[in-house]
């Protein structure tokens, strides 16, 4: 799918909202919510949902709540809550005072369940989980009614109260909505709405041993918060009739409406919490914020910007059919944003020493460099120049191909922001035979100007002054997986992990001006790509940089693979 196709896809959700406003539904109000379950960190797929929900609220001058959808004690935690809050805020969205927790509604949800029982619309079922599955039927066969379906209201109320009181073991009873065991939609065949689970909840502790199921809790949480448009992903399409059924039984007015859109899939990564948890727990990555992870925390650490992620979400648009979005589209958004914002600097990843024979010993020149070629308001800095420089090993070729524009025997090349140098001779390591140094001469009149005799120098290479440059560790990231769609990979998805997704370069050199650069700062290292100071591992004594993206959409010719 090209970028244009994506942009052309119409936003059917906004069309629905426009219609609703026209007929003055909900008195013209728009209220959305972003409802993550705090059982993992947020990822780029969630960013799509966040941009959609908060974006719609902003556009229609409505509100968007942040709601922790925390009705299942298993796997939920405060660490995840904190990360979600941090990530949504970092993406640039504001829920004002509307941070809610579905677990705060447990009492209200329980009261709704009692109301359903009293209306004869719910019953306590004592079949085992396996029996419930058997009785449910299949796509082509209707289900069978549970033998407990016609329990009296009194008996149901009594049993449900005793479920809450902790009298029964897990799995012995459930509360089910009494709908239609012959419905063509299996979801409507008397779905379970409450189950017994003797497990502490990270917020309510041991107060509850019955927990509402998603289908019951979600639509009623929406109703409690007066949500108008409840936007979720396509896997809930079949559950919409149940959403409506529950709301219609229990809510009189201003009923929320569920609208489904296609979830985001991005190539060369996985976006399911279960799989991301597996990557973290089995230490395939260094944590949720590993810069290779598609999590917001990982992308932040990698150096992706909120603007780039929001632009990406705008570009992919919202539609009803699932597809796999090329990760290079996300990378292009990052590149576009950083091209504007990141100051330029020089760094050498694989150093080769160059000695300028005719440059005075001990002299250090301060060369003024623009921080950004197109944005003069970003100012200038000085970069030291001296007799001993590092250049990129790959910028010298002993036997260059035709049209080679970098340094080679008999050739001249311009040092970026500085002088033209000419190759004189090379030194080899006696033992290994490898080139260990290059001797050159420089043309003093060429500081940012042409040679005096008008000879043409085409190539430009970057460099740092060897004695002033700062040694740094540079982490080069590649895609986490070798295949475009690891989730569809047959067998264990981890077998398609890219074993070379991280390359650590420990002997790199960055220009002296980056000495006290703050964690999180981003730069374009000229000719190499965009890099940022790692927010976790970098220190003034041992700077660590992450490569955010290479300059072009081919993995770095110079410093990449
Ligand atoms: P997973 O299926 O990976 O476990 P989830 O859907 O259970 O994720 P939630 O915390 O329930 O994760 O998601 C919160 C919101 O984000 C939901 O409204 C969900 O629909 C939406 N969401 C989750 N993943 C994606 C995705 N890949 N693309 C778009 N929206 C998503
Ligand atoms: Mg979910």
């Amino acid at each position: 799918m090209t970028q244009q196709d994506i942009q052309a896809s119409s936003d059917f959700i906004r069309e629905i909202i426009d219609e609703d406003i026209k007929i003055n539904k909900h008195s013209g109000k728009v209220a959305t919510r972003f409802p993550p379950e705090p059982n993992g960190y947020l990822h780029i797929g969630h960013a799509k949902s966040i941009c959609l929900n908060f974006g719609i609220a902003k556009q229609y001058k409505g509100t968007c709540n942040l709601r922790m959808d925390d009705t299942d004690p298993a796997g939920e935690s405060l660490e995840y809550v904190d990360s979600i809050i941090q990530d949504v805020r970092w993406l640039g969205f504001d829920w004002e005072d509307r941070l809610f927790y579905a677990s705060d509604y447990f009492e209200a949800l329980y009261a709704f369940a009692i109301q359903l029982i009293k209306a004869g619309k719910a019953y306590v079922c004592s079949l085992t989980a396996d029996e419930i599955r058997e009785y449910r039927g299949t796509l082509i066969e209707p289900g069978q009614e549970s033998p407990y379906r016609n329990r009296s209201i009194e008996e149901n109320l009594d049993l449900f109260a005793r479920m809450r009181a902790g009298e029964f073991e897990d799995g012995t009873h459930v509360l089910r909505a009494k709908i239609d065991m012959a419905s063509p939609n299996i979801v409507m065949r008397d779905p379970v709405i409450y189950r017994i689970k003797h497990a502490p909840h990270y917020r309510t502790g041991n107060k509850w041993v019955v927990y509402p199921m998603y289908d019951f809790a979600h639509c009623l949480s929406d109703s409690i918060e007066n949500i108008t448009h409840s936007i979720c992903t396509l896997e809930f399409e079949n559950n919409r009739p149940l959403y409506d059924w529950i709301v219609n039984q229990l809510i009189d007015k201003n009923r929320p409406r569920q609208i489904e859109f296609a979830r985001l899939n991005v190539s060369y990564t996985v976006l399911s919490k279960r799989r991301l948890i597996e990557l973290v727990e089995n230490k395939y990555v260094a944590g949720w914020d590993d810069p290779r992870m598609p999590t917001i925390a990982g992308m932040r650490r990698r150096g992706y910007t909120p603007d780039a992620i929001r632009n990406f979400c705008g570009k992919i648009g919202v539609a009803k059919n699932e597809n796999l979005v090329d990760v290079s589209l996300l990378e292009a958004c990052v590149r576009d944003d950083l091209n504007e914002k990141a100051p330029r600097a020089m760094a050498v990843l694989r150093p080769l020493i160059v000695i300028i024979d005719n440059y005075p010993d001990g002299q250090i020149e301060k060369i003024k460099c623009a921080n950004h070629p197109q944005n003069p308001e970003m100012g200038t800095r000085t970069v030291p120049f001296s007799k001993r420089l590092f250049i990129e090993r790959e910028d010298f070729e002993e036997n260059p191909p035709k049209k080679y524009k970098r340094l080679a025997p008999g050739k001249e090349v311009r040092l970026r922001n500085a002088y033209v140098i000419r190759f004189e001779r090379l030194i080899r390591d006696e033992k290994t035979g490898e080139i260990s140094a290059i001797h050159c001469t420089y043309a003093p009149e060429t500081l940012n100007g042409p040679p005096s005799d008008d000879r043409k120098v085409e190539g430009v290479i970057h460099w740092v002054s060897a004695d002033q440059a700062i040694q740094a560790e540079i982490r080069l990231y590649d895609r986490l997986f070798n295949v475009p769609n690891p989730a569809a990979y047959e067998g264990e998805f981890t077998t398609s992990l890219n074993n070379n997704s991280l390359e650590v370069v420990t002997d790199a050199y960055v220009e002296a001006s980056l000495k006290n650069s703050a964690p999180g700062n981003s730069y374009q290292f000229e000719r190499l790509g965009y890099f940022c100071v790692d927010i976790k591992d970098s220190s003034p004594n041992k700077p660590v940089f992450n490569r955010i993206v290479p300059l072009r959409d081919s993995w770095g010719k110079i410093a990449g693979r």
Side-chain angles (χ1 to χ4, degrees):
M1 179 181 259
T2 68
Q3 210 161 302
Q4 261 171 351
D5 292 336
I6 292 166
Q7 279 169 328
S9 64
S10 81
D11 185 341
F12 69 99
I13 298 182
R14 286 169 166 92
E15 281 170 19
I16 292 173
I17 294 175
D18 289 337
E19 281 303 308
D20 287 348
I21 290 176
K22 226 184 264 167
I23 59 169
N24 206 32
K25 198 172 168 189
H26 304 288
S27 323
K29 283 205 193 88
V30 174
T32 59
R33 85 288 171 265
F34 173 63
E37 181 177 2
N39 61 353
Y41 278 58
L42 299 181
H43 52 61
I44 183 75
H46 292 113
K48 175 179 180 180
S49 176
I50 293 167
C51 290
L52 180 60
N53 280 293
F54 281 93
I56 283 175
K58 188 167 183 199
Q59 180 181 341
Y60 291 94
K61 301 197 168 42
T63 51
C64 180
N65 301 348
L66 177 58
R67 181 198 311 150
M68 300 300 155
D69 199 0
D70 55 356
T71 55
D72 181 356
E76 296 176 354
S77 77
L78 258 184
E79 179 199 344
Y80 293 135
V81 169
D82 291 343
S83 74
I84 289 167
I85 289 173
Q86 184 188 8
D87 290 349
V88 180
R89 195 166 277 150
W90 179 78
L91 277 176
F93 297 104
D94 184 8
W95 51 91
E96 296 171 325
D97 55 353
R98 296 178 314 279
L99 168 60
F100 298 121
Y101 294 83
S103 55
D104 283 348
Y105 308 145
F106 279 162
E107 202 63 62
L109 295 170
Y110 185 82
F112 276 127
I114 300 242
Q115 205 180 317
L116 263 194
I117 296 174
K118 286 184 174 163
K121 297 290 175 71
Y123 62 96
V124 173
C125 179
S126 310
L127 293 176
T128 63
D130 285 342
E131 287 165 338
I132 289 179
R133 207 171 305 121
E134 269 166 43
Y135 277 66
R136 189 171 288 138
T138 64
L139 283 174
I140 45 171
E141 286 166 32
Q144 270 181 73
E145 294 191 350
S146 160
Y148 305 100
R149 198 172 199 260
N150 296 313
R151 274 179 166 151
S152 69
I153 290 174
E154 289 67 37
E155 192 183 359
N156 284 321
L157 286 173
D158 175 60
L159 282 170
F160 192 48
R162 290 165 58 197
M163 282 166 65
R164 176 180 180 168
E167 283 188 28
F168 307 120
E169 298 290 307
D170 290 8
T172 52
H173 307 278
V174 292
L175 186 69
R176 298 176 70 174
K178 195 175 194 173
I179 307 179
D180 179 5
M181 287 308 292
S183 170
N185 181 351
I186 294 181
V187 171
M188 298 298 274
R189 295 181 187 169
D190 289 9
V192 173
I193 56 176
Y194 260 91
R195 65 193 157 144
I196 301 171
K197 196 161 183 170
H198 290 265
H201 184 276
Y202 79 102
R203 290 188 87 236
T204 58
N206 293 316
K207 181 162 183 219
W208 292 89
V209 296
V210 288
Y211 290 97
M213 303 299 286
Y214 173 89
D215 284 319
F216 189 70
H218 202 86
C219 58
L220 292 171
S221 301
D222 285 342
S223 304
I224 291 168
E225 293 176 19
N226 289 314
I227 299 304
T228 58
H229 300 84
S230 178
I231 301 167
C232 65
T233 35
L234 274 182
E235 66 269 25
F236 294 105
E237 201 168 20
N238 286 338
N239 301 53
R240 189 182 346 126
L242 178 55
Y243 185 105
D244 290 340
W245 186 90
I246 295 171
V247 165
N248 288 339
Q249 304 303 318
L250 295 167
I251 306 296
D252 294 335
K253 51 178 198 272
N254 289 332
R255 292 173 180 149
R257 166 175 180 181
Q258 175 180 305
I259 305 168
E260 311 87 21
F261 71 100
R263 62 196 296 124
L264 170 65
N265 302 298
V266 176
S267 63
Y268 296 97
T269 193
V270 290
L271 294 183
S272 108
K273 275 190 212 156
R274 181 179 61 76
R275 292 198 175 92
L276 294 175
I277 287 171
E278 198 174 326
L279 293 178
V280 173
E281 285 187 348
N282 295 336
K283 302 209 174 1
Y284 290 109
V285 293
W288 285 100
D289 65 351
D290 186 302
R292 292 166 293 179
M293 288 283 271
T295 51
I296 311 281
M299 293 188 291
R300 172 170 59 236
R301 185 161 170 208
R302 172 88 167 248
Y304 285 19
T305 58
D307 282 344
I309 295 172
R310 289 198 311 263
N311 284 344
F312 169 73
C313 291
K315 279 191 171 147
I316 56 174
V318 180
K320 271 250 175 209
N321 43 338
E322 279 215 20
N323 58 26
L324 189 61
V325 175
D326 195 328
V327 67
S328 62
L329 181 63
L330 174 58
E331 291 162 349
C333 291
V334 172
R335 208 174 278 124
D336 285 352
D337 191 41
L338 290 172
N339 184 35
E340 292 282 313
K341 293 178 188 157
R344 275 43 176 172
M346 290 196 285
V348 171
L349 265 52
R350 303 178 209 278
L352 172 62
I353 191 128
V354 170
I355 297 141
I356 315 283
D357 291 337
N358 60 340
Y359 197 83
D361 281 344
Q363 177 169 312
I364 300 170
E365 204 171 337
K366 286 184 172 165
I367 296 185
K368 195 166 157 185
C369 304
N371 286 333
H372 195 289
Q374 283 90 40
N375 299 337
E377 69 279 5
M378 285 175 75
T380 59
R381 68 191 188 285
T382 59
V383 170
F385 186 90
S386 70
K387 192 179 180 78
R388 286 157 35 84
L389 311 173
F390 288 132
I391 66 166
E392 213 66 67
R393 220 158 243 288
E394 290 188 21
D395 282 338
F396 174 78
E397 199 61 67
E398 198 177 355
N399 302 301
K402 259 190 210 148
K403 294 192 183 162
Y404 187 73
K405 290 205 185 120
R406 293 174 259 163
L407 193 61
K411 288 230 175 211
E412 283 186 303
V413 75
R414 174 173 294 285
L415 296 172
R416 174 79 175 144
N417 294 312
Y419 300 97
V420 170
I421 56 170
R422 169 186 293 280
F423 173 89
E424 298 295 341
R425 64 198 164 95
L426 58 79
I427 311 283
R428 281 183 200 284
D429 184 297
E430 280 175 15
K431 283 200 202 99
T432 65
E434 272 181 41
I435 299 168
S436 58
I438 305 281
H439 283 261
C440 291
T441 49
Y442 85 118
E445 82 281 9
T446 56
L447 181 62
N448 283 316
S452 49
D453 61 358
D454 272 357
R455 52 189 203 279
K456 268 222 154 86
V457 181
E458 286 182 90
V460 182
I461 64 173
H462 60 275
W463 54 278
V464 293
S465 175
D467 297 327
Q468 286 78 35
I470 303 158
Q471 193 176 10
E473 173 176 318
I474 298 195
R475 299 174 181 173
L476 303 171
Y477 302 102
D478 200 342
R479 291 168 182 166
L480 192 49
F481 289 89
N482 282 321
V483 297
N485 192 1
Y489 195 71
E490 278 178 42
E492 198 40 52
F493 78 103
T494 49
T495 53
S496 62
L497 276 163
N498 174 7
N499 293 326
N500 303 313
S501 58
L502 169 62
E503 183 189 352
V504 180
V505 179
T506 50
D507 191 29
Y509 291 86
V510 301
E511 65 171 62
S513 74
L514 301 186
K515 187 163 176 63
N516 289 313
S517 184
N521 277 4
S522 296
Y523 301 90
Q524 184 195 94
F525 288 168
E526 300 216 33
R527 299 179 63 235
L528 296 179
Y530 296 94
F531 293 77
C532 81
V533 184
D534 188 70
I535 48 181
K536 232 178 180 171
D537 296 340
S538 193
S539 68
N541 293 333
K542 187 175 176 280
V544 177
F545 288 83
N546 298 311
R547 182 171 66 189
I548 309 168
V549 270
L551 275 189
R552 274 167 292 277
D553 187 13
S554 62
W555 283 83
K557 285 208 178 65
I558 295 168
R561 296 184 281 195

